[in-house]
Amino acid sequence: MSYFVYKTENLSKDCIVLDDMFLTTDGITSAGSKMLYNFESLFCAEVVSLLEKQGLKIGGKVKTGEFALDLLGETCYQGALVDNDGNLQSSAVKALDDGLAKAVLCLDVNGYPRRSASLSNKVFIKPTYGIVSRYGVIPGACSGETVGVMAKNALGCKEVLEKIACHDEKDGTSLDNETIKTAFTAKKAKKLALLKEFVALCNEEMKDEVAKTVKKLSDNGIEVVEISASELLVSQVSWNILMSAEVCNNVSRYDGVKFGYRAEDYKNIDELYVKSRTEAFGEYLKSVIMLGSSVLANENYEKLYDKSLRVRRVLREWFEKTFESFDGVIIPSASKTSFKAQEVSMQTIFDESVFTAPSLVTGLPCVARSFVQIVGDKFSDSMLLDIAKVLE
Amino acid sequence: MTEKTFTELEKFNQIRFSQTEKASALDLFAKIEESYSLLDGVNTESVAPMVHVMPKENTLRQDQMIKTFSRDELQEKAPAVSDGYWEVPRLVE
C-alpha cells in the first residue's frame, strides 16, 4: 500500500512533503476521510504558497488518520501503515525514513506528529499557536491545532519553520510579524522540569528511554529537576472536551450535498445526509462528533465546555508560574515506545492524549524528540529546537 | 451517556452507529465521562474563560473586493449538479 496520497515530479530528498490536512491544487486533499475521497481544492494552503515562493518544492502528500485525530494514522479510510514488526507507523515518518523529503508539514490536532516523531528518532516542532498560518488547512479543533514541521533533525525543522512563520491576514488567529520574530530569539535553556506524574503513566521500557534522554540533557549541561504536576493531568479532559466540540462543529459542513462523498441510495434529503455521513465517517470520528455535541448540549455546556475554557486559563497560569523557575517542562510522548496496530482502540487514543494535551490546550510551543516532548513558554520555539539538537 | 441520549445525538448529528460500534462508543463515553470529575477539582470561581490562547484584538481586514471562485469551478466536483444548481432530493412534496 502506498503511503502517499499523491506524488509530484518534485519528490526528492530535498523537497517538502505535506500531510493530508493541507489544501493543495496538485491533487486530492482527503484529510484521511472517505468523506473527502475525491476532493480537489481550488486553492493552496498559505504555508504551501509561502514555501513555493521561497523556492522549496512540494513533493506530494502523505496519508493521515481521519482529520488527524488519532494515534498514528490508523483511522485513515485507506488503512493504517504498519512496519515489519506490526507496529503502527505514521506516513510522515516513513517519507523521511525513505529519504523522500527533507521535512514534512503536519497538522497537530491531537498529538499524532509529536508522538510519531519522538518514537521514531525524528524531530517535530509544534510552534507557538498563531505564528504559522492555518489558512487552507482542513479545520478540526481550531482553538489549539497548529501547523508544525517534522524533520530528521532540529536544523531541518528550524529551516522550514523560519520560512512559514509570518503574519497572514487571511488567518484571524495569526499574530503580527514583530511578535512572531520573538519566537526566533536566541535563548539558551539551562533548567528543565520533568513531570513525574506523567512519567508514572509509562511502561518500564518507556521510563528507561525517558531516563536516557534526561541523562543526555544533563550530560550537555541542562539541569533537569523532577517536579510534581498532578494539576496538569486535567489537560487531557479539558482538551478532549474542547477538541470534540470544535470537531463536531467543523465536520457538520460535510453533508454529501456540495462536495465530497454522497451515498448512492437515498429516498429523501434526510436519508442523503444520514447515509452519506454514516458511510463516509469512521467510527472514531463519529464518536468524537457525539461527544462534541454532548458537551455542547444545554445541560452540559456550563459544567463541561465553559468549565474547560476556564480550566484552560488555569493550566496556562500553571505553565507561566513554572516558567519562572524553569525554561521548559519534559513530558513523555506516549506511555510506550511502539503500538501494535491490532492493540489500538478508541480508548487508546483517549488514554494517550494525556501526554499531548497540555501544549494543545494552552497553545504553547512543544518540541518532540527521543521519546519526550519539551513544552516551552510562548515564543520559545527556537530555544526548544536548540534543546532537540542536544538530543541528536 | 444513556441509550436515549445516544439515539437523540445520532439523529441530531445525522449519523448512525451499528450495534457493535454503539457498544464500543458507549464504553468509551463511560470512561471519558468518568474523567470529567477531574474538572471539579479545579477552582475556576474567579477565572474567565480562555477562548483564544494568544491575546489578540478583533481582526479586521480592508473592505476590498477580492477574486473568488465561479459557480462552475465550485460545482466541478459536486456529487450532483443540474442547470447550475446543486441537486438534492425534493424537499417539499
Side-chain angles (χ1 to χ4, degrees):
Chain A
M1 183 186 79
S2 171
Y3 58 90
F4 271 82
V5 177
Y6 69 83
K7 296 172 181 173
T8 73
E9 60 189 18
N10 301 317
L11 191 65
S12 73
K13 65 179 176 46
D14 298 318
C15 75
I16 305 295
V17 160
L18 314 164
D19 82 9
D20 199 13
M21 299 298 289
F22 296 84
L23 296 181
T24 51
T25 51
D26 295 330
I28 303 285
T29 304
S30 76
S33 180
K34 186 176 172 184
M35 180 55 87
L36 294 172
Y37 76 105
N38 66 347
F39 182 69
E40 287 179 47
S41 174
L42 295 171
F43 64 98
C44 283
E46 178 66 11
V47 284
V48 176
S49 307
L50 278 170
L51 289 172
E52 287 179 334
K53 271 182 210 158
Q54 293 172 88
L56 288 167
K57 307 278 188 197
I58 305 298
K61 204 179 273 182
V62 288
K63 292 174 182 172
T64 56
E66 193 167 26
F67 289 88
L69 296 171
D70 62 4
L71 206 65
L72 291 162
E74 70 281 3
T75 62
C76 176
Y77 79 106
Q78 291 169 310
L81 182 66
V82 177
D83 69 13
N84 293 336
D85 300 322
N87 295 316
L88 288 170
Q89 186 181 29
S90 83
S91 301
V93 164
K94 179 85 170 125
L96 292 170
D97 276 343
D98 288 350
L100 295 175
K102 70 187 290 185
V104 185
L105 292 194
C106 305
L107 185 67
D108 192 335
V109 187
N110 201 22
Y112 103 82
R114 271 177 286 153
R115 196 176 294 117
S116 58
S118 73
L119 301 184
S120 310
N121 203 26
K122 307 289 178 294
V123 184
F124 180 78
I125 176 83
K126 183 188 94 64
T128 304
Y129 184 89
I131 75 166
V132 178
S133 169
R134 288 183 301 107
Y135 178 77
V137 170
I138 304 238
C142 304
S143 78
E145 68 191 14
T146 312
V147 172
V149 187
M150 190 189 294
K152 283 186 175 174
N153 54 46
L155 193 63
C157 284
K158 196 169 189 175
E159 192 189 321
V160 177
L161 181 61
E162 282 175 342
K163 287 184 164 48
I164 58 173
C166 65
H167 175 67
D168 177 16
E169 65 168 16
K170 298 187 287 306
D171 175 356
T173 61
S174 176
L175 300 169
D176 63 81
N177 280 327
E178 281 306 305
T179 308
I180 290 171
K181 257 187 220 168
T182 60
F184 299 98
T185 315
K187 189 195 166 198
K188 197 169 157 40
K190 291 177 185 157
K191 195 175 176 186
L192 301 174
L194 175 66
L195 308 188
K196 68 176 178 187
E197 284 81 2
F198 288 82
V199 178
L201 296 171
C202 301
N203 71 10
E204 290 308 312
E205 190 187 5
M206 190 65 178
K207 282 179 186 167
D208 286 348
E209 293 297 344
V210 172
K212 279 184 213 163
T213 302
V214 167
K215 185 176 182 307
K216 198 160 185 184
L217 289 167
S218 304
D219 290 348
N220 281 277
I222 299 174
E223 186 187 357
V224 179
V225 179
E226 193 175 69
I227 66 164
S228 179
S230 55
E231 54 272 61
L232 207 57
L233 293 170
V234 74
S235 304
Q236 178 192 31
V237 185
S238 174
W239 176 245
N240 272 277
I241 287 171
L242 299 176
M243 177 199 73
S244 59
E246 293 176 32
V247 168
C248 171
N249 281 334
N250 273 316
V251 303
S252 64
R253 77 192 70 197
Y254 305 115
D255 57 9
V257 173
K258 290 186 175 172
F259 57 88
Y261 179 82
R262 181 184 284 197
E264 282 184 12
D265 299 319
Y266 47 85
K267 293 190 194 81
N268 52 45
I269 189 73
D270 286 328
E271 266 197 27
L272 186 157
Y273 293 146
V274 172
K275 284 193 171 179
S276 300
R277 286 167 65 82
T278 301
E279 290 169 17
F281 288 156
E283 186 181 356
Y284 183 61
L285 178 60
K286 287 198 293 183
S287 300
V288 171
I289 294 169
M290 295 283 276
L291 272 178
S293 57
S294 158
V295 300
L296 290 169
N298 204 21
E299 64 271 25
N300 289 331
Y301 181 85
E302 270 193 35
K303 69 176 180 194
L304 295 178
Y305 183 76
D306 183 75
K307 177 81 180 186
S308 292
L309 290 174
R310 292 170 200 271
V311 167
R312 168 184 263 174
R313 189 176 298 280
V314 173
L315 292 166
R316 184 66 176 269
E317 285 167 359
W318 182 91
F319 272 110
E320 278 163 14
K321 194 162 184 306
T322 304
F323 292 142
E324 287 172 10
S325 313
F326 297 93
D327 297 308
V329 301
I330 305 172
I331 305 174
S333 300
S335 66
K336 49 202 229 179
T337 57
S338 59
F339 292 85
K340 295 278 181 213
Q342 67 271 30
E343 289 168 5
V344 169
S345 66
M346 296 196 290
Q347 181 69 39
T348 319
I349 303 172
F350 176 73
D351 289 345
E352 292 298 323
S353 70
V354 70
F355 300 102
T356 49
S359 78
L360 282 162
V361 75
T362 55
L364 293 171
C366 180
V367 73
R369 169 92 209 187
S370 306
F371 305 96
V372 302
Q373 319 158 71
I374 300 154
V375 185
D377 200 356
K378 58 183 185 290
F379 312 119
S380 65
D381 306 60
S382 193
M383 179 198 76
L384 292 176
L385 283 168
D386 289 342
I387 299 173
K389 205 171 171 185
V390 167
L391 296 172
E392 284 163 12
Chain B
M1 189 182 290
T2 62
E3 294 249 353
K4 186 172 172 271
T5 308
F6 191 95
T7 307
E8 282 170 1
L9 289 176
E10 271 184 304
K11 281 186 190 162
F12 179 74
N13 288 298
Q14 307 272 26
I15 48 175
R16 299 290 182 270
F17 288 68
S18 68
Q19 282 306 315
T20 319
E21 287 176 338
K22 185 176 174 179
S24 314
L26 282 170
D27 192 36
L28 174 72
F29 297 164
K31 284 169 184 156
I32 291 178
E33 282 162 5
E34 267 174 42
S35 72
Y36 290 163
S37 62
L38 275 177
L39 291 173
D40 300 332
V42 185
N43 181 2
T44 54
E45 208 173 285
S46 54
V47 179
M50 189 182 212
V51 178
H52 300 292
V53 288
M54 290 297 150
K56 194 134 182 1
E57 295 296 316
N58 192 19
T59 307
L60 299 172
R61 272 184 282 173
Q62 292 297 313
D63 186 13
Q64 285 172 338
M65 278 178 63
I66 53 166
K67 182 185 173 290
T68 181
F69 303 108
S70 71
R71 185 169 61 181
D72 287 345
E73 285 173 312
L74 291 168
Q75 290 185 335
E76 205 172 316
K77 282 278 171 181
V81 173
S82 172
D83 297 330
Y85 293 96
W86 279 275
E87 198 173 54
V88 292
R90 182 180 290 276
L91 292 171
V92 181
E93 294 295 336

